[in-house]
Amino acid sequence: MSVAESVPAAFTINPLSPALGAEVVGLDCAQPFDAETMARLREAFQHHHMLCFRAQDLSDAAQIDFSRQFGPLEGLPEKDKTKGRREVYNVANVSVDGEHLPEDDQRVIFQRNNARWHTDSSYRDIPSLASIMYGIEVLPDGVEGGETGFSNMLRAYEALPAEMKRKLEPLHQVHSYGEIRRLEPQMPAMTAEERDSVPPVTHPVIRVHPERGGQRSLFFTSNTSLEIGGMTLAEGRELHRWLVEWADRPEFCLYHRWREGDLVKWDNRVLLHRAIPYDYAAYRRVLRRTTVAGAGPILGPFSNAVRDGLA
Ligand code: OGA
Ligand code: MN
């Protein structure tokens, strides 16, 4: 082995806030990582939950290669939001051909739905492990909006009043991709094929993490259904409103202001995120997302594996 191959990459990891997040400076994500770099990144991801790799220059293919180092990728259920390959999701108010879209275009309306706290692909039986988003065109300095907000659900769970922890313990939320259409009524109905590929699922509201020695976090979303099993719709809505306000508390949150070339990887198992709205007509914003698939179903306090002491 040559000396160059045996020397691990020199890069620094700097925390971005007390709540979550760190920036990685001096690492080229277009190159495959050696084992030591992977180990450092894995540890940093476990600790900070969100890593922002600065100053990257990545093609679609390079982003896919980078992302696959962390596991198999998800494909999107709808063809029209991808760039021809279902693993690459165009998060933009600009078409894949570069046209700045009108505000009433369904692709822009879909972006607005991202403004609610959520975790990616929670509408699947096995929701995603991580999302990876690359900043291609970002809002100029001084312009309002366009950040991605993150909220740390490990901290949010820890800080809950004991009575609320008890109340949430047995609850499950219904997650339904089709509900996005109800929340954004201007969107066209899904085709039967799309609907059949993503039937509603339920997940525990308290998530137990085997990879964290059984530590717990909150797990809920507001961009799909607001139904909570065992409650009337009105009770579920009220509880949901309370949870959303709780997730908003500044001590759990980081608002990431994008720089061109940022590549942000976040942990969908323990964070919620949201897009902060901006003036869609005046500014272009182009990000590109890949999504690492989850490793198994979501465990709650009453899952068999937890009860049997495996988590
Ligand atoms: C997403 C998303 C946030 C943003 O694409 O899943 O939530 O800031 N995006 O665009
Ligand atoms: Mn999202």
Side-chain angles (χ1 to χ4, degrees):
M1 193 189 280
S2 75
V3 173
E5 279 167 338
S6 66
V7 175
F11 62 93
T12 54
I13 299 174
N14 313 313
L16 288 172
S17 84
L20 67 110
E23 63 170 5
V24 181
V25 179
L27 191 61
D28 178 3
C29 295
Q31 306 299 326
F33 299 140
D34 57 53
E36 190 176 330
T37 299
M38 276 304 278
R40 258 183 93 189
L41 293 178
R42 202 172 298 119
E43 192 193 315
F45 189 65
Q46 179 82 352
H47 187 72
H48 296 289
H49 320 304
M50 176 277 204
L51 297 178
C52 174
F53 301 84
R54 299 288 192 193
Q56 301 301 315
D57 182 8
L58 296 178
S59 63
D60 285 9
Q63 184 172 343
I64 288 176
D65 289 346
F66 166 84
S67 305
R68 284 207 175 119
Q69 295 179 103
F70 307 105
L73 304 187
E74 286 184 357
L76 272 182
E78 293 162 288
K79 287 195 195 84
D80 58 346
K81 299 194 196 69
T82 64
K83 298 183 68 188
R85 316 177 61 151
R86 287 206 176 191
E87 302 98 326
V88 179
Y89 171 16
N90 188 39
V91 180
N93 64 342
V94 172
S95 77
V96 291
D97 305 319
E99 179 205 352
H100 189 163
L101 298 165
E103 272 190 281
D104 60 356
D105 188 283
Q106 59 144 316
R107 287 162 288 186
V108 180
I109 293 164
F110 193 83
Q111 300 302 309
R112 286 214 304 259
N113 191 52
N114 280 341
R116 303 181 175 94
W117 285 120
H118 67 281
T119 167
D120 287 335
S121 69
S122 70
Y123 54 82
R124 295 177 191 272
D125 266 337
I126 299 185
S128 73
L129 191 153
S131 293
I132 295 167
M133 215 153 77
Y134 178 51
I136 298 168
E137 292 185 53
V138 303
L139 296 196
D141 282 343
V143 166
E144 213 175 302
E147 297 90 350
T148 304
F150 296 94
S151 184
N152 183 337
M153 292 297 106
L154 293 162
R155 286 175 182 248
Y157 173 79
E158 259 323 300
L160 283 173
E163 186 195 335
M164 187 54 95
K165 283 185 180 165
R166 267 196 304 277
K167 178 173 176 175
L168 296 176
E169 176 110 352
L171 298 181
H172 285 64
Q173 183 184 9
V174 179
H175 295 245
S176 156
Y177 192 79
E179 280 290 289
I180 292 173
R181 309 305 169 114
R182 187 182 59 73
L183 295 167
E184 297 292 351
Q186 290 162 281
M187 290 185 76
M190 295 173 90
T191 65
E193 186 203 350
E194 284 168 350
R195 221 179 21 244
D196 289 349
S197 72
V198 279
V201 297
T202 63
H203 296 303
V205 173
I206 305 238
R207 182 167 185 170
V208 178
H209 300 273
E211 74 288 355
R212 294 180 175 278
Q215 195 182 356
R216 293 169 168 209
S217 69
L218 282 172
F219 190 80
F220 70 96
T221 185
S222 37
N223 74 344
T224 62
S225 176
L226 306 184
E227 283 174 59
I228 299 201
M231 291 188 156
T232 65
L233 206 48
E235 285 167 342
R237 290 232 166 99
E238 192 185 316
L239 177 62
H240 189 269
R241 242 191 319 269
W242 191 93
L243 289 170
V244 167
E245 273 177 33
W246 190 252
D248 271 337
R249 290 173 79 129
E251 64 267 34
F252 308 143
C253 293
L254 167 70
Y255 288 85
H256 178 69
R257 182 89 198 166
W258 287 87
R259 297 183 200 161
E260 199 186 303
D262 279 351
L263 179 68
V264 174
K265 176 181 180 224
W266 71 82
D267 193 335
N268 278 314
R269 297 167 299 186
V270 299
L271 299 183
L272 297 185
H273 65 276
R274 58 186 292 245
I276 307 304
Y278 58 98
D279 185 341
Y280 301 98
Y283 299 102
R284 292 164 63 100
R285 182 178 189 260
V286 179
L287 305 164
R288 191 167 67 202
R289 196 186 101 193
T290 42
T291 314
V292 182
I298 301 211
L299 302 180
F302 297 101
S303 298
N304 287 347
V306 175
R307 227 187 35 209
D308 296 345
L310 304 180

